[in-house]
Amino acid sequence: MANTLPPTDRSCDISQPLERLSSDESLKTESDYLRGTIALGLLDRITSAVPGNDIKLMKFHGIYEQDDREIRDERRRQKLEPAFQFMIRVRLPGGICTTERWLKISELACAHGNETLRMTTRQTFQFHWVLKQNIVPLIRGLHEVLLDTVAACGDDSRGVMATVNPQFPALQAELAALAKTVSDHVIPKTRAYHEIWYGEERIASSEPEEPFYGQTYMPRKFKIGFVIPPNNDIDIYAQDLGYIAIIGEDGKIAGFNVAIGGGMGRTDKAPHTYPRTASVIGFITPDRLISVTEAVMGVQRDYGNRADRSRARFKYTIDDKGLDWIKLAIEDRAGPLESARPYDFTSNADIYGWIESGDGFHHFTLFIENGRLNRDMLDKIAQIAHVHKGHFRLTPNQNLMIANVAMADKPEIEALLRETGLIAFNERSVLRLNSMACVALPTCGLAMADSERYLPDLITKIEGILTRYNLQNEPITLRMTGCPNGCSRPFIAEIGLTGRAPGKYNLYLGGGFHGQRLNRLYRENIGEPAILETLNEVLGRYATERLPDEHFGDFTIRAGIIREVTEGRFSND
């Protein structure tokens, strides 16, 4: 590195001895590049779990150990271990899924995932309820259609997102291809995945096993995404590294504005943790994409906090060092950035139903509530997959796009949507169509309250309030999580709910309609009656006091109901 950077505090980063850092840093260093003893643990039939610390390493392989929390206490009383099972997340850059892959994933979900499947807020699939002995068959089944779960979790670059906007077909295809290129470039290069899950032999080599990551990988997870204005469907400001496509006069991508430091997670009652929206620091041309990605990730790799994992995300590195210092550190590695170029977002929602793109193809976006698919829905979508000649796209809002339908094939797809009843999924209220929830209970080990199972019922009750005030056609974003980690990005919703305990939630108001502004805590640790009473009062005021075309989040700030959050570090004030 050139000696152009001002001095900075390095007491918590990778330059320090391991004994001064968190235990996870030693675990990674001693893991033999993510191998650990995972292969042996899979053979242990005494327990349905993975012994020791290997489960932390398995996250880098896209696998989380969980248990059925609804029977945890009963099993404890019976002196049994928890009902362990696993969540497995697929790496699916840009949410692109061929029909062949869809059918294989559906088959694997029915065989190994309790006949359920989740479409996530990062455009991919999650299998739940997978038993230990079924992990290898599932991963090898994915390999049959050239899919994997590499880096779907862990201290590395997670799945790379890309906007789903068929109004710009050529640009959308280009971004999807870039998402895959970047994803392939930034995933770990260790052969551990192939050895453990595919049974391949270890190959001796004099080349570094992890030329970029090294033995300790990243301080925490790192999220990347691409978006084309005006639709901010991927919530670019929630990404560690976001690329905002700037379209030139010729209709092609001239380059990207670079946004850094977004992140949703926080910890309740811990004011040193907070969500943050990404900061736009400049513009690059497409040929610099890989070098700038490496530079941004390299700065976080080298300067991120490895002593305190609650402060290890890139957003905290930026706030601790200062945005100007971080930008200088990036430019020191990748060269100067140009000034950011103008752009404008109008929404972060999906556009439902049929849309015709300029290339003559048609695309149908189907609402999937909270991304939750049961056996009946899987079977119905499989009927479409068997005849569809295009592909599917998973949207960042947990919905499904049937993409690239030729005009001649549209009547057949339309008929199947009606015959299966799937088309009726789109006949929902505007509020429901603009809602999201994470999985939460009973599987997620971090959840404090229900989310995906509870939000549909809560929305039904909120719909009554909206109808009372003639607001049923107003688009309002509502997102819920079972804990404050923010998987459904609740902290940029106009109405956000995060779980605190069974039946209790924190209520947040004031987020930006297209994800450009954080919300703020309005009511703490309240149950359904208080949630409905509070929303009744605030929505009632919105109905009578709003300005023409004023979004709900903007209104709550203008009316003095909630103070605007100008920076994430001030959100707990």
Side-chain angles (χ1 to χ4, degrees):
M1 177 183 292
N3 296 318
T4 58
L5 290 176
T8 188
D9 176 18
R10 302 205 63 183
S11 61
C12 295
D13 67 28
I14 198 172
S15 66
Q16 297 300 307
L18 283 173
E19 57 266 24
R20 295 185 182 180
L21 305 179
S22 79
S23 59
D24 287 70
E25 298 305 310
S26 296
L27 175 67
K28 288 182 284 186
T29 301
E30 297 164 2
S31 73
D32 191 15
Y33 295 102
L34 308 181
R35 291 175 177 84
T37 57
I38 294 172
L40 289 175
L42 293 171
L43 300 175
D44 186 348
R45 292 294 179 255
I46 296 176
T47 174
S48 57
V50 172
N53 286 323
D54 283 329
I55 190 55
K56 288 188 176 182
L57 300 178
M58 285 176 68
K59 291 181 180 181
F60 290 81
H61 300 254
I63 303 165
Y64 279 85
E65 182 177 277
Q66 300 177 336
D67 73 283
D68 187 343
R69 295 177 59 186
E70 292 190 328
I71 61 173
R72 184 185 288 177
D73 290 341
E74 176 60 27
R75 290 183 69 84
R76 185 183 297 117
R77 285 191 291 269
Q78 295 180 23
K79 301 186 184 305
L80 298 171
E81 71 173 8
F84 288 115
Q85 36 81 25
F86 295 83
M87 181 272 279
I88 300 178
R89 185 181 294 146
V90 180
R91 184 172 69 100
L92 196 72
I96 298 284
C97 184
T98 65
T99 54
E100 178 191 18
R101 286 175 169 176
W102 179 278
L103 291 170
K104 172 55 73 172
I105 287 169
S106 181
E107 172 193 321
L108 293 170
C110 292
H112 305 304
N114 200 28
E115 299 188 335
T116 64
L117 189 66
R118 300 295 187 278
M119 300 196 307
T120 80
T121 58
R122 289 196 66 80
Q123 296 182 284
T124 190
F125 298 102
Q126 286 182 183
F127 299 92
H128 288 259
W129 306 103
V130 180
L131 300 179
K132 180 175 164 180
Q133 64 268 25
N134 292 331
I135 299 176
V136 170
L138 191 151
I139 289 180
R140 291 186 179 179
L142 290 172
H143 187 54
E144 292 175 12
V145 288
L146 302 181
L147 288 174
D148 59 59
T149 65
V150 176
C153 316
D155 298 349
D156 45 34
S157 175
R158 299 291 179 88
V160 179
M161 301 177 74
T163 191
V164 180
N165 190 339
Q167 294 172 312
F168 307 103
L171 300 178
Q172 178 182 261
E174 184 176 352
L175 279 201
L178 288 174
K180 186 178 188 311
T181 297
V182 170
S183 178
D184 291 344
H185 186 79
V186 299
I187 61 173
K189 300 301 184 284
T190 173
R191 296 286 298 173
Y193 189 89
H194 293 72
E195 295 163 19
I196 295 169
W197 308 112
Y198 302 155
E200 296 182 5
E201 294 293 328
R202 186 166 185 172
I203 302 172
S205 173
S206 60
E207 296 297 320
E209 190 149 11
E210 290 287 13
F212 177 81
Y213 284 116
Q215 289 182 300
T216 50
Y217 296 84
M218 298 292 282
R220 287 295 293 267
K221 59 187 174 184
F222 195 92
K223 299 180 177 180
I224 301 174
F226 292 83
V227 72
I228 304 175
N231 189 9
N232 184 23
D233 57 348
I234 76 159
D235 282 323
I236 196 73
Y237 303 111
Q239 312 291 330
D240 290 277
L241 172 58
Y243 289 114
I244 303 167
I246 303 300
I247 311 306
E249 294 181 358
D250 59 358
K252 298 180 180 179
I253 296 177
F256 300 91
N257 281 348
V258 182
I260 62 171
M264 290 290 97
R266 64 180 296 274
T267 301
D268 289 332
K269 303 298 185 181
H272 69 288
T273 68
Y274 47 81
R276 186 187 192 279
T277 51
S279 305
V280 177
I281 60 170
F283 171 87
I284 62 169
T285 50
D287 59 295
R288 300 183 62 193
L289 195 58
I290 295 297
S291 64
V292 170
T293 299
E294 283 193 349
V296 174
M297 290 185 65
V299 168
Q300 167 62 354
R301 176 197 61 200
D302 295 344
Y303 293 102
N305 190 324
R306 292 176 183 261
D308 180 358
R309 284 183 68 81
S310 72
R311 295 278 300 182
R313 289 290 299 275
F314 191 30
K315 59 184 176 181
Y316 300 121
T317 309
I318 292 172
D319 285 349
D320 288 345
K321 307 292 183 187
L323 183 62
D324 291 340
W325 191 95
I326 293 293
K327 181 181 178 184
L328 185 61
I330 293 168
E331 292 181 321
D332 192 53
R333 298 171 186 233
L337 305 179
E338 299 178 34
S339 297
R341 300 191 181 181
Y343 65 96
D344 184 47
F345 288 124
T346 57
S347 172
N348 59 3
D350 289 339
I351 303 171
Y352 295 97
W354 286 107
I355 296 176
E356 182 178 2
S357 53
D359 56 0
F361 283 100
H362 298 254
H363 316 266
F364 186 90
T365 300
L366 178 67
F367 176 64
I368 306 292
E369 191 159 26
N370 302 324
R372 188 177 187 178
L373 295 166
N374 58 26
R375 178 61 184 265
D376 179 64
M377 295 163 69
L378 288 170
D379 288 344
K380 289 176 178 178
I381 296 173
Q383 293 182 48
I384 295 174
H386 279 297
V387 300
H388 180 36
K389 299 172 185 175
H391 61 269
F392 293 118
R393 290 289 301 272
L394 278 63
T395 83
N397 291 297
Q398 300 177 293
N399 299 310
L400 180 66
M401 175 181 287
I402 306 167
N404 285 25
V405 180
M407 185 62 195
D409 300 324
K410 183 181 175 183
E412 182 179 23
I413 300 297
E414 174 85 19
L416 281 172
L417 285 167
R418 295 191 180 281
E419 290 169 12
T420 58
L422 290 171
I423 202 166
F425 290 3
N426 287 11
E427 299 168 3
R428 301 290 192 269
S429 71
V430 176
L431 180 69
R432 198 174 296 269
L433 294 174
N434 281 274
S435 68
M436 285 201 299
C438 69
V439 174
L441 296 175
T443 55
C444 179
L446 300 175
M448 305 175 191
D450 260 310
S451 183
E452 75 162 17
R453 296 191 303 184
Y454 171 54
L455 184 57
D457 290 338
L458 180 64
I459 286 179
T460 298
K461 295 169 183 176
I462 298 174
E463 286 169 342
I465 297 173
L466 293 173
T467 300
R468 181 182 308 146
Y469 296 116
N470 198 29
L471 295 171
Q472 62 270 24
N473 295 321
E474 290 297 322
I476 297 174
T477 58
L478 188 160
R479 296 175 180 176
M480 173 180 278
T481 57
C483 78
N485 284 286
C487 290
S488 66
R489 305 187 287 275
F491 300 116
I492 47 178
E494 294 178 289
I495 301 173
L497 290 157
T498 64
R500 289 296 307 278
K504 299 290 185 179
Y505 299 84
N506 283 350
L507 172 63
Y508 295 80
L509 298 177
F513 179 69
H514 50 81
Q516 80 281 16
R517 182 182 60 242
L518 294 170
N519 50 31
R520 186 184 292 277
L521 179 63
Y522 186 64
R523 293 286 185 268
E524 186 174 11
N525 200 25
I526 58 176
E528 182 179 289
I531 292 171
L532 296 175
E533 179 182 357
T534 302
L535 291 179
N536 181 67
E537 175 187 350
V538 177
L539 288 167
R541 288 189 58 184
Y542 176 56
T544 57
E545 301 174 25
R546 59 181 169 151
L547 300 176
D549 300 321
E550 185 175 32
H551 290 297
F552 177 67
D554 298 335
F555 165 77
T556 60
I557 293 171
R558 183 186 62 79
I561 295 170
I562 200 80
R563 286 185 296 118
E564 181 178 4
V565 176
T566 55
E567 291 187 47
R569 55 187 171 153
F570 303 139
S571 62
N572 293 322
D573 294 348

